[in-house]
Amino acid sequence: MASSTKRAPLRLIAGVAGAATIIVAFTATVSAQSGSDFLNNIDPLFAGVVAHPGNLDNTIAYAASAAAHGDIESAISTYEQLRFYNPRLAATRYQLGVLYYQLGSYAQARGYLQTALQMPDVTPELRQKIEDLLELVDKKLQPDQFSGFAQTGVRYQSNASLGAGSQTVLASGGTLNNNFVAKSDWNWFGTVGLNYLHDFQTQTGETFEASVIAYDAQQFSLHQFDIVSLNFAPVRVLRFRRATSTA
């Protein structure tokens, strides 16, 4: 009994020593790989930002890459870092406006775009881009939004009646009645679509949307094939989460 009691502490000491050996070995393996190599294995662009946070080129490259891959949140945080190091860059504020516009946070986008116009380095080309996007943002900020399209034209149809060929022979051996053979004709057609969207301007971003599409085709001669169509698209209530930040 005494011998068993003495062995228990020995087993505990051996277990602790084994765990310590594993930890030391793991630490040695990690130490053998430099911090730079470790970051490069994750993302070379991100490694450049971490290693040289003040390097403008590295940060811009990583932000553009994140935005191109759909990681808008990472792109925003990176451009915010650029703004911290140089708050007077118009291009940085413009990119933040673009990203917040993509997120549906139109008020935030407008704030960044307006301040971008006040930066001393804004070029005429960039100013035009900012003003064009501001126009879209202002439309999005309206609670009631209408959009639509219209298309019209004249076309020639070689088989407006959708009939069979004039030489078609019936099973009985007779020929097809001329009233049912293919006939050509001209027609005028027009399509109009209207979309209505109401933004409830809530924090969670609910919107109400409804659409209507009308189509009309009038034949010049074969009026029995005129087409008039009116379709209502399903009414939808959309929900999305708006991002918030400060410009």
Side-chain angles (χ1 to χ4, degrees), residues 17-227:
T21 302
I22 293 174
I23 294 172
V24 170
F26 177 75
T27 304
T29 302
V30 173
S31 299
Q33 183 182 28
S34 69
S36 177
D37 292 338
F38 179 73
L39 287 174
N40 282 325
N41 289 335
I42 298 175
D43 187 333
L45 291 175
F46 179 70
V49 174
V50 173
H52 306 285
N55 189 306
L56 184 64
D57 293 335
N58 284 348
T59 308
I60 290 177
Y62 174 71
S65 175
H69 288 84
D71 190 357
I72 297 179
E73 288 80 4
S74 293
I76 286 177
S77 63
T78 307
Y79 279 117
E80 287 286 8
Q81 177 182 331
L82 283 173
R83 192 171 68 91
F84 173 79
Y85 282 104
N86 192 341
R88 300 180 67 80
L89 289 177
T92 300
R93 292 177 177 270
Y94 169 71
Q95 292 296 338
L96 284 167
V98 171
L99 292 169
Y100 276 110
Y101 180 85
Q102 294 175 353
L103 283 180
S105 184
Y106 305 119
Q108 295 302 120
R110 192 173 191 276
Y112 280 112
L113 294 172
Q114 286 182 323
T115 57
L117 289 174
Q118 302 169 8
M119 296 298 104
D121 67 333
V122 61
T123 63
E125 294 80 8
L126 182 58
R127 179 178 296 275
Q128 186 61 53
K129 290 182 179 180
I130 294 171
E131 290 175 350
D132 291 343
L133 186 55
L134 267 174
E135 185 177 349
L136 295 177
V137 169
D138 288 339
K139 290 181 180 179
K140 293 291 187 180
L141 286 173
Q142 297 297 322
D144 296 297
Q145 303 168 28
F146 293 91
S147 60
F149 68 90
Q151 181 183 17
T152 186
V154 177
R155 62 189 171 192
Y156 173 77
Q157 298 169 295
S158 59
N159 189 1
S161 60
L162 299 178
S166 59
Q167 300 300 321
T168 301
V169 179
L170 299 177
S172 61
T175 58
L176 190 67
N177 189 306
N178 286 336
N179 292 328
F180 302 101
V181 298
K183 295 180 180 180
S184 61
D185 193 12
W186 288 82
N187 80 346
W188 167 88
F189 69 92
T191 304
V192 177
L194 180 64
N195 185 77
Y196 168 73
L197 184 143
H198 176 77
D199 189 344
F200 293 101
Q201 298 186 340
T202 60
Q203 186 64 31
T204 51
E206 287 87 358
T207 62
F208 170 85
E209 184 174 2
S211 301
V212 60
I213 299 177
Y215 176 78
D216 186 15
Q218 298 294 318
Q219 302 296 135
F220 285 16
S221 301
L222 305 175
H223 293 291
Q224 65 271 32
F225 299 107
D226 292 346
I227 299 175

